[in-house]
Amino acid sequence: LLYEWGASLEHHLPGRRGAIVDAFLQALPMFLDKLVRRRCEIINLNQRRDLIGQTCIVEKYIAKKDRYKVTTEHARETFLVGRNNLKRRDRTPDDPGYYVTFEDGEYKRHTFESN
């Protein structure tokens, strides 16, 4: 969830223990590429113009094919795209992906059905 909002490893924990934790985290596959596990927008996709503007989560990078495996947020469709077909689109206060209402004395979270 934090990576949808643009979190990064730029915190650098202090001391020896922090150096060990930072080295471990930086070796994880999701931090080796700036797009993996991030929320992105699909752009410049000639084969499927209906997907342009849709948001997705980048699952992983497949080096053999030089493609990213992505899953669209709302249709849950999974396919491969190139780096030139993705633009980071982190969550922002103006685009949180959900809204909250107060009903019957309690708060309820509702997820948007579209981008």
Side-chain angles (χ1 to χ4, degrees), residues 3 10 18 21 31 36 41 53 82 85 88 104 107 110-111 113:
Y3 297 103
E10 297 173 3
V21 170
F31 294 116
V36 174
E41 179 178 344
N85 301 118
R88 281 231 350 228
D104 301 323
Y107 289 99
H110 305 274
T111 302
E113 293 298 320

Side-chain angles (χ1 to χ4, degrees), residues 59-75:
E59 302 295 333
K60 64 182 178 178
Y61 175 69
I62 302 171
K64 275 184 165 181
K65 297 184 177 192
D66 191 29
R67 295 282 182 262
Y68 290 90
K69 179 181 178 183
V70 301
T71 302
T72 58
E73 285 189 321
H74 302 290

Side-chain angles (χ1 to χ4, degrees), residues 20-73:
I20 292 169
V21 170
D22 281 349
F24 171 76
L25 290 175
Q26 289 175 355
L28 292 173
M30 67 187 300
F31 294 116
L32 296 177
D33 189 291
K34 292 183 186 275
L35 295 177
V36 174
R37 305 308 284 165
R38 296 291 187 162
R39 181 174 188 258
C40 291
E41 179 178 344
I42 298 170
I43 59 171
N44 304 326
L45 194 61
N46 295 327
Q47 300 86 351
R48 295 279 311 270
R49 293 194 180 278
D50 59 310
L51 295 173
I52 293 175
Q54 293 289 312
T55 53
C56 62
I57 301 296
V58 178
E59 302 295 333
K60 64 182 178 178
Y61 175 69
I62 302 171
K64 275 184 165 181
K65 297 184 177 192
D66 191 29
R67 295 282 182 262
Y68 290 90
K69 179 181 178 183
V70 301
T71 302
T72 58
E73 285 189 321

